[in-house]
C-alpha cells in the first residue's frame, strides 16, 4: 500500500475556502441591507420634495384662483378641490392635498402620501389686504 500524502493540505484548503465562502455571503448580506437603506432614504427625500412642491402649488392655487380654502377639505366633491388635485399632484392614486380650518381666518394645508400626512403648513387671511399669506413658523414635518 502506498503512503497517502497531501491529506492535511486538502483539509486546510477546504477549511480556508469554506471560511472565504462565509465571508463573501456575509458581505453580500451587509451590502444588500445598505442598498435597501439607501433606496428608502431616496424615496423619503423624493416624497418630502413632492410635499414641498404640492403645498407651494396649493398655496398659489388658492391665491391665484381666489378659492376659499374651506372648500378644499379632504375628499371634497368641489370642482376647485378636484382641479387643485390635478394641478398640484403627480401621483393621484398615492397623494392628496387638502386644507382644514384652524380658526375663522387660518387654514392648514396638508400633503398626504399613502394615507400618511407628510407635511403641513398654515396660511392666514390678511385682514388689511384680503389675501392669504404663510403663517410665520407654520412648517410641520411629520
Amino acid at each position: 500500500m502506498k503512503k497517502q500524502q497531501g491529506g492535511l493540505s486538502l483539509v486546510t484548503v477546504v477549511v480556508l475556502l469554506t471560511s472565504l465562502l462565509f465571508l463573501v455571503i456575509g458581505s453580500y448580506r451587509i451590502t444588500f441591507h445598505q442598498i435597501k437603506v439607501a433606496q428608502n432614504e431616496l424615496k423619503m427625500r423624493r416624497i418630502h420634495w413632492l410635499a414641498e412642491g404640492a403645498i407651494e402649488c396649493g398655496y398659489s392655487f388658492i391665491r391665484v384662483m381666489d378659492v376659499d380654502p374651506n372648500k378644499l377639505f379632504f375628499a371634497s366633491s368641489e370642482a376647485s378641490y378636484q382641479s387643485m388635485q390635478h394641478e398640484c399632484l403627480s401621483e393621484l392614486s398615492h397623494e392628496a392635498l387638502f386644507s382644514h380650518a384652524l380658526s375663522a381666518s387660518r387654514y392648514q394645508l396638508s400633503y398626504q402620501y399613502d394615507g400618511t400626512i407628510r407635511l403641513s403648513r398654515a396660511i392666514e387671511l390678511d385682514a388689511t389686504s384680503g389675501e392669504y399669506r404663510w403663517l410665520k413658523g407654520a412648517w410641520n414635518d411629520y
Side-chain angles (χ1 to χ4, degrees):
M1 216 178 186
K2 292 184 182 180
K3 194 173 183 182
Q4 294 182 354
Q5 294 179 351
L8 183 60
S9 297
L10 185 59
V11 170
T12 305
V13 168
V14 168
V15 169
L16 285 174
L17 285 176
T18 304
S19 62
L20 183 63
L21 177 66
F22 285 129
L23 286 173
V24 168
I25 290 173
S27 173
Y28 168 75
R29 289 186 65 177
I30 290 170
T31 304
F32 181 73
H33 175 71
Q34 289 173 342
I35 289 170
K36 294 303 284 180
V37 168
Q39 287 174 341
N40 288 342
E41 180 68 25
L42 285 173
K43 181 181 177 185
M44 294 310 295
R45 293 261 180 217
R46 184 180 148 272
I47 290 171
H48 175 78
W49 288 110
L50 282 172
E52 292 268 4
I55 286 181
E56 273 296 324
C57 180
Y59 173 70
S60 297
F61 184 84
I62 289 169
R63 288 192 66 169
V64 171
M65 303 300 281
D66 197 29
V67 176
D68 180 11
N70 227 7
K71 295 180 180 180
L72 303 175
F73 58 90
F74 184 72
S76 172
S77 60
E78 289 283 331
S80 56
Y81 175 77
Q82 299 300 326
S83 177
M84 181 182 71
Q85 298 298 301
H86 288 285
E87 288 288 325
C88 298
L89 303 177
S90 58
E91 299 176 32
L92 293 175
S93 62
H94 294 285
E95 300 175 299
L97 179 63
F98 55 93
S99 70
H100 61 88
L102 297 174
S103 67
S105 63
R106 291 184 179 180
Y107 296 89
Q108 184 154 349
L109 293 174
S110 296
Y111 174 84
Q112 180 176 308
Y113 190 89
D114 282 341
T116 304
I117 294 177
R118 303 294 178 150
L119 189 67
S120 294
R121 189 165 183 196
I123 59 174
E124 68 180 346
L125 183 62
D126 187 12
T128 57
S129 69
E131 293 184 346
Y132 287 96
R133 62 184 169 99
W134 294 118
L135 187 60
K136 187 174 181 177
W139 278 112
N140 293 318
D141 293 331
Y142 292 97

